[in-house]
Amino acid sequence: MKNILDTGIKVIKNVDSYEFGLDSIFNINKIVEKKIASLDLSKRVVVFVDEYFKNSEIISVFDKYEIVFVSTKIEPTTDGVDLIMQELKSFSRDKPSVIIGFGGGITMDTAKACANLFNNNGPSEKFQGWDLIENPGVYKIGIPTISGTGAEATRTCVLTNKSSGLKLGMNSDHTVFDYVIMDPNLLKTVPKSQFFFTGMDAYIHCLELLEGSYRNPVGDAFSKQTISLCREVFNSSDMFSHASREKIMVASFLGGSSIAMSYVGIVHPFSAGLGVVLGIHHCEANCIVMNAMEEFYPKYFKEFHELAKKQGVNIRKGIASSLSESDYDALYNSTIIHEKPLFNALGTDFRKILTRDKVKQIFKKM
Ligand code: NAD
Ligand code: ZN
């Protein structure tokens, strides 16, 4: 019998090249020029920039390129990405030779999705799933400005499909960035709570992997190191110190690399429910779900709260404590739909454990 967890991925595709270091952002022009000069390619370069940087001096490094500011009010949707593609195609008939994503997970995922869609005809929802992208996308460079999701390293770009209620990425080798620049200076301006929420995504990905049944020795090693780095950062007195910014950037990259070989567990399906139904952003939603994970991940539940306390970060409570029954139905449906991670965490009987009533009780604890 085919195991539900078997995606058929036996060979892991990682980022082709990456560099790490202070001021490495200033190498971007060299990398782009080298790429464009290497073939007779169009000179069009599109940079997706997190809107936070609209008035920031740093984006003068992209002066020569076409900039698309990405709003981070809501997380990427299939409709939103299709709209951006329509605008990019109507702006110029030239296909870009290089696409850059400069920002957090929202911006990097938008860049990854569009890079795929230039060489694979949409709509984007066609590619939500595993290995549905046929042609390699446009050459793409990821530059994280906040760390934790690992979007710079993974083979996915997460999109919410409002009509199907599915929060699922384009999982494909073609979604992996060709080049990544990690410059710890870029993290200096991240607000404190957001730094914690996003950083903890790396910790949560890896605890879910280590507590799951679908394991891989390489994934385990990456995960253990990720958790250890997160502990150092969030136990330190200054999570914004140079050393901490370096560590969280590495943790994010390793955490993203580890999750490519396995699955998450219980936190992410519940977090997706909060995202789809209540519009709560991924990383904060994960932290809210951790409030209700004592039964499933007791050791990490305790540690998570100690780390939040150490950093003086408040995790919202009561967010799903008194909703309508139709909201609980919607939350149940958008949680239980994530069968691979739930199977990974709870086995074949996950539906018997996570009954509709049990799921409601768990949401009420948040
Ligand atoms: P984000 O893109 O959601 O941004 C969070 C906030 O931080 C925004 O307000 C943004 O403007 C701000 N910000 C980013 N960098 C900043 C900086 N240097 N200074 C000041 N403010 C800054 O960040 P995220 O938490 O990294 O990403 C969440 C997204 O990532 C979700 O859409 C989630 O689904 C996705 N995700 C993707 C993967 C993947 O493998 N592709 C994995 C996990 C999560
Ligand atoms: Zn995550």
Side-chain angles (χ1 to χ4, degrees), residues 82-101:
D82 291 339
L83 191 67
I84 295 174
M85 279 306 293
Q86 210 181 327
E87 284 166 2
L88 286 171
K89 283 183 174 170
S90 64
F91 185 72
S92 163
R93 278 214 228 154
D94 274 354
K95 193 193 288 179
S97 297
V98 178
I99 284 184
I100 301 170

Side-chain angles (χ1 to χ4, degrees), residues 10 96 199:
K10 297 283 179 266

Side-chain angles (χ1 to χ4, degrees), residues 50-53 70 72-76 103-109 112 144-160 167 185-191 194 197-199 201 205 256 259 268 281-284 286:
D50 183 319
E51 66 181 356
Y52 167 80
F53 294 98
V70 178
T72 56
K73 282 192 189 64
I74 60 161
E75 296 188 337
I106 290 180
T107 309
M108 287 190 282
D109 280 0
K112 287 163 112 178
T145 64
I146 180 170
S147 294
T149 66
E152 64 278 21
T154 61
R155 65 194 300 279
T156 193
C157 50
V158 184
L159 305 177
T160 299
K167 191 173 179 189
N185 265 347
L186 297 173
L187 308 186
K188 274 184 179 167
T189 50
V190 177
Q194 191 65 54
F197 296 153
T198 299
D201 198 24
H205 287 154
I259 212 66
H268 274 73
H281 285 214
H282 179 76
C283 298
E284 185 187 7
N286 286 343

